[in-house]
Amino acid sequence: MSATGFAHRREKLWHLVRNQPADGILVSDPVNVTYLTGFTGEDSFLLCGDGQATLISDGRFTLQIAEECPDVEPFIRPGHVTLHEAVAKVVKKLRWRRLAIESAAITLDGHNELKAKLEGVELVPTKNLVEELRQIKDDTEIEHIREAVRIAERALTVIRALCLSRRTEKELQTELEYQMRRIGADGVAFPPIVAVGPRSALPHAVPTGRELGQGQWILFDWGAKARGYCSDLTRVLLPKKLPAKIRKIYETVLAAQQAAIEVIRPGVPASEVDKAARTVIAAARLGKYFNHGLGHGVGLQVHERPRLSPTSQDILQPGMVVTVEPGVYLPDFGGVRIEDDVLVTRDGHEVLTTAPKEIDEVLLWD
């Protein structure tokens, strides 16, 4: 993204900050700093006000700041000056009297240090100001997410071409991570979940030494990072000699996902999307086995706003990218989750993922 693009983001943030009201905001969440400046380093805070952007960092990042965000004024603190002391120095120089802070991103110690150093400056707690901006993706962000989806899908295609029999969950997790990086990912969006048979009943199963054997099914939940942006997908690969019980669960989950996706369009409450999936699963008398929200936003983080859940207050808007991932998990038997990344468009939605998910497309064994 160009410097103009980052400046536009900071300008939109300023419009939110001045309504607090405050003279400026201390952005301390590192993901939010990246979103507003393009800086990818660490241990750095951003002070943002009306036409003002100062990135407070240390000598390790002098050249990196000049390279990644040349339009932002750097304040390189000496080694004997703490990050919060440096913030106080800049705020005093700017003569700000009300400083907004990200209440969810600052520690109690950090708050207390700022309060002590900024005598006469009121600290104004705020919540989710940058996150509110981040949930609406621009064209560049959407293209990065598309790339992350493509990389993740190609990696699973390679995995399916391997001889999976007798491979362990851990081995397949490692192979999936390697393939995403080989294909071009910056890294993984999160440690992939690989769960065989009964272990697929654990929504966040940690891969083990359990082997995949003939006639078993296997769940993959994985995602790539491309240019800092995440994808998040889940597929279950099934045996060709498919037990009736797992067939029913799979068909129910797929129908639930399709019902939810059809609801997605601007102006729809996120809770209604969740309800559409939950209704299908409940009708199959499996409702008590769907034990998590339907989905979440994806972007610079794999879990961000909005939330698709029964209690969500979010309203879908064009530019949001959300996961739709209903699941049914039967203890001591196994589970099914099917997950796609979906873009909310001006007049409806677009499913960004194309990985096969119909039963006859995800069969593994003879």
Side-chain angles (χ1 to χ4, degrees), residues 121-231:
V121 177
E122 181 181 355
L123 300 182
V124 182
T126 66
K127 187 175 182 180
N128 293 329
L129 294 187
V130 183
E131 288 80 0
E132 183 177 330
L133 299 177
R134 281 172 46 197
Q135 65 182 339
I136 308 298
K137 274 63 181 181
D138 59 32
D139 290 344
T140 300
E141 292 177 292
I142 292 168
E143 186 52 43
H144 293 341
I145 294 172
R146 290 184 193 276
E147 184 179 354
V149 169
R150 290 193 292 266
I151 290 170
E153 290 181 327
R154 287 179 60 193
L156 187 67
T157 299
V158 173
I159 293 293
R160 289 193 65 176
L162 301 175
C163 179
L164 301 187
S165 182
R166 313 308 296 177
R167 301 284 291 272
T168 68
E169 294 171 341
K170 283 186 175 180
E171 288 171 342
L172 291 170
Q173 178 193 47
T174 300
E175 185 67 31
L176 190 53
E177 290 183 357
Y178 165 71
Q179 292 299 338
M180 284 189 282
R181 292 180 184 274
R182 184 188 66 81
I183 292 166
D186 301 341
V188 297
F190 55 93
I193 297 168
V194 182
V196 170
R199 298 198 70 257
S200 59
L202 283 69
H204 283 183
V206 177
T208 69
R210 185 184 183 105
E211 293 181 342
L212 175 64
Q214 292 282 341
Q216 292 184 310
W217 61 92
I218 182 168
L219 181 149
F220 291 94
D221 186 342
W222 80 112
K225 266 196 171 184
R227 304 176 192 272
Y229 284 80
C230 300
S231 59

Side-chain angles (χ1 to χ4, degrees), residues 38-56:
F39 177 64
T40 59
E42 59 209 37
D43 298 328
S44 304
F45 289 172
L46 174 69
L47 282 167
C48 186
D50 186 8
Q52 172 66 38
T54 301
L55 188 59
I56 300 171

Side-chain angles (χ1 to χ4, degrees), residues 6 36 53 65 73 77-79 84 92 105 136 145 160 218 253 260 273 277 286 303-304 306 324:
F6 288 114
L36 294 167
I65 291 171
E73 180 181 350
R77 61 184 177 88
H84 294 94
K92 288 177 181 178
I136 308 298
I145 294 172
R160 289 193 65 176
I218 182 168
V253 171
V273 184
L286 293 168
H303 292 96
E304 54 184 54
V324 181

